[in-house]
Amino acid sequence: MSDTVYEQIGVERLTGAMGAVISGVDLAQELSAAQFAEIRSALFEFGAICFRDQKLDFAQHAAFARRFGTLEVHPIVNGMEDHPEIIKMHKPAGQAATFGTDWHTDNSFFEKPSLGSILYSEIVPPVGGDTLFSNQQLAYEKLSDGLKRTLEGMVAIHSAQEAYTSPSALEKYDSDGPISYRRSDIIHQTVEHPVVIQHPVTGKKALYVNSYFTRQFKGWSEAESRPLIEYLCDHGVRVDFQCRMRWEAGMVAMWDNRIVQHAALNDYEAYERLIYRITVNGDALQ
Ligand code: SIN
């Protein structure tokens, strides 16, 4: 059951765990304060939301994203030349997908990890290329009381060093391929975040550990940390915590990066997919 009454927008839940399809809004138009407030509440309540049958140009896409905060220019993944805040996620037919294909939380190696991303699809495969999301508030809730007590107050160290020096990442530096990376010292920095965070608006607790960037627990050795990180990462993406978005051309999807992990499926090699992505800057996590 939904905690909130929605009067300005339609809300249809995707699964028992999370996710919703929002209807009754045209994101190309300026949203009223009341419409925007309900969309934001739905994002925080369901973790990931999508809107069908939208038509956005770059300015409209960015204007919608700016309602949530300032826009990120990714320090490593190149944005478009004329719109550095927009990443063109283009996968040509005949190539395997490589961007975001394993479960992760975006940019947890930042001091202030991203609030969330807004994707707009132009070309989608006839089948495949869905995006999966997993609810990290539910993942926290479903831990035993004993493990919750252990995790309380624990801090994890996050770094992008491994993720951005993997063989597949190295190939993309300075390439003129569909998605290219540039070198940045940020990959060598380590940052600390609580293992259990509180949502800055709702106050709900969520597990905040992901296999791309969480390296070890503060005060623990890497060897001691690894089994528990692995356990929490596996637990965090249990099928009963998930929803799955099937793309249509002209769809907008957004997730709250503090409370969900996501993964893009790599199961449509024969087909082209073109999605534009804008990410909203977040705040330090508590
Ligand atoms: C991502 O932003 O991590 C990839 C999402 C997608 O391509 O579905």
Side-chain angles (χ1 to χ4, degrees):
M1 285 292 287
S2 171
D3 302 336
T4 314
V5 177
Y6 294 96
E7 289 172 339
Q8 307 287 325
I9 57 174
V11 174
E12 185 193 337
R13 297 190 67 164
L14 275 172
T15 67
M18 66 166 297
V21 181
I22 307 298
S23 55
V25 280
D26 176 0
L27 299 179
Q29 306 295 323
E30 194 180 338
L31 301 171
S32 69
Q35 279 176 317
F36 178 69
E38 289 199 358
I39 290 172
R40 188 168 170 267
S41 296
L43 176 71
F44 297 162
E45 182 173 2
F46 301 108
I49 54 178
C50 64
F51 307 76
R52 297 195 170 111
D53 302 322
Q54 301 293 322
K55 182 138 187 58
L56 299 183
D57 61 25
F58 296 139
Q60 289 161 334
H61 188 174
F64 176 56
R66 270 197 202 95
R67 298 292 292 263
F68 291 90
T70 57
L71 306 189
E72 174 184 296
V73 174
H74 199 282
I76 305 167
V77 184
N78 288 322
M80 293 165 60
E81 213 160 288
D82 297 346
H83 298 278
E85 72 286 7
I86 304 181
I87 295 176
K88 181 176 177 183
M89 302 194 300
H90 185 215
K91 198 219 53 87
Q95 284 187 15
T98 53
F99 193 74
T101 50
D102 294 312
W103 283 107
H104 64 287
T105 304
D106 284 330
N107 303 332
S108 70
F109 61 97
F110 290 1
E111 302 270 0
K112 296 179 176 178
S114 321
L115 179 152
S117 290
I118 300 170
L119 271 44
Y120 171 65
S121 57
E122 255 185 33
I123 302 172
V124 299
V127 66
D130 297 354
T131 308
L132 306 184
F133 298 93
S134 187
N135 180 340
Q136 301 306 288
Q137 292 176 328
L138 193 53
Y140 172 73
E141 257 170 62
K142 296 290 181 188
L143 293 171
S144 66
D145 290 342
L147 187 47
K148 282 183 184 152
R149 273 195 298 276
T150 302
L151 298 181
E152 203 60 53
M154 273 177 66
V155 168
I157 298 169
H158 297 244
S159 155
Q161 172 114 14
E162 278 180 41
Y164 284 108
T165 53
S166 68
S168 65
L170 287 175
E171 271 175 26
K172 288 187 277 189
Y173 281 106
D174 310 320
S175 85
D176 54 4
I179 298 182
S180 65
Y181 293 176
R182 63 187 179 283
R183 289 163 206 281
S184 163
D185 284 344
I186 198 171
I187 67 163
H188 306 299
Q189 102 179 353
T190 55
V191 302
E192 297 178 1
H193 300 298
V195 172
V196 177
I197 60 166
Q198 274 200 299
H199 192 277
V201 176
T202 66
K204 274 182 84 174
K205 290 184 176 179
L207 192 57
Y208 195 75
V209 170
N210 72 92
S211 57
Y212 265 27
F213 304 125
T214 312
R215 298 277 60 96
Q216 71 186 87
F217 299 118
K218 188 174 181 181
W220 295 33
S221 70
E222 265 188 71
E224 287 166 343
S225 304
R226 202 169 303 121
L228 183 52
I229 291 177
E230 266 176 34
Y231 173 78
L232 294 173
C233 290
D234 288 347
H235 169 82
V237 298
R238 253 172 51 178
V239 284
D240 51 331
F241 302 157
Q242 294 180 25
C243 76
R244 175 175 188 139
M245 283 184 191
R246 175 144 198 213
W247 287 96
E248 296 160 14
M251 195 167 112
V252 171
M254 176 169 194
W255 62 90
D256 182 337
N257 185 55
R258 288 86 49 105
I259 58 173
V260 305
Q261 292 200 53
H262 63 283
L265 285 188
N266 177 17
D267 61 349
Y268 60 107
E269 183 160 341
Y271 302 111
E272 183 181 12
R273 182 178 188 259
L274 173 59
I275 294 185
Y276 294 96
R277 168 179 152 144
I278 297 184
T279 298
V280 180
N281 288 313
D283 293 313
L285 300 169
Q286 312 280 327

